[in-house]
Amino acid sequence: MVYYDKNGDEHYNIISAIHKSLRDSDGDAACYWIQRMLVGGEDPRYLARRMLRFASEDIGPADNNALLLANQVFDAVERIGMPECDIFLFQLALYLAKAPKNNITYKISQQTKADIAKYGNLGVPLVIRNAPTQMMKDLNYGE
């Protein structure tokens, strides 16, 4: 009997353990926590979705193949389902754990949200506006 509460603290504790294991390049630990969630009845699509996000948030441009593989695994999990799809999740976890990490995309996401909250709707500078008409060119669009 495995303790796992799909709608409670243990759910969030274990998904955090997966994320931190991947971030620390510990694929074996990530696979253990994934299996705990699966045995506890977690929807494998949830795990695939979280690792898809991880591929972009924590690996990003350090390994562009991580996002491609994560997306393929997500699709495979949806097509195959349990119990066979667990192997896809483990393969992805091992890949993500070993991949180089770069969280620049996450930082950009956070910074651009903060900029929009702080500055609101800034106008597009004339120099980078499209100028398909003569009137727009006369107004210095696209210069």
Side-chain angles (χ1 to χ4, degrees), residues 22 25 59 62-63 66 94-101:
L22 293 174
S25 301
I59 296 171
D63 181 351
L94 294 172
Y95 185 92
L96 296 177
K98 298 302 179 198
K101 311 302 190 277

Side-chain angles (χ1 to χ4, degrees), residues 27-46:
D28 292 341
C31 290
Y32 170 80
W33 296 117
I34 289 167
Q35 190 70 281
R36 277 276 305 274
M37 291 183 91
L38 292 173
V39 169
E42 184 60 65
D43 184 343
R45 293 173 300 182
Y46 172 76

Side-chain angles (χ1 to χ4, degrees), residues 9-23 33 37 46 50:
D9 287 342
E10 199 65 3
H11 166 82
Y12 296 105
N13 290 338
I14 295 177
I15 199 64
S16 178
I18 293 169
H19 193 95
K20 288 180 175 78
S21 297
L22 293 174
R23 191 176 283 160
W33 296 117
M37 291 183 91
Y46 172 76
R50 293 301 307 148

Side-chain angles (χ1 to χ4, degrees), residues 100-111:
K101 311 302 190 277
N102 182 332
N103 68 350
I104 189 68
T105 53
Y106 177 74
K107 289 178 179 179
I108 289 170
S109 173
Q110 297 304 304
Q111 186 59 56

Side-chain angles (χ1 to χ4, degrees), residues 73-121:
V73 167
F74 185 87
D75 289 345
V77 165
E78 283 199 316
R79 276 196 297 274
I80 303 299
M82 282 298 284
E84 291 92 353
C85 74
D86 62 344
I87 196 79
F88 308 147
L89 296 170
F90 300 140
Q91 181 180 356
L92 178 58
L94 294 172
Y95 185 92
L96 296 177
K98 298 302 179 198
K101 311 302 190 277
N102 182 332
N103 68 350
I104 189 68
T105 53
Y106 177 74
K107 289 178 179 179
I108 289 170
S109 173
Q110 297 304 304
Q111 186 59 56
T112 54
K113 285 177 191 174
D115 286 349
I116 290 169
K118 182 176 180 179
Y119 301 112
N121 297 311

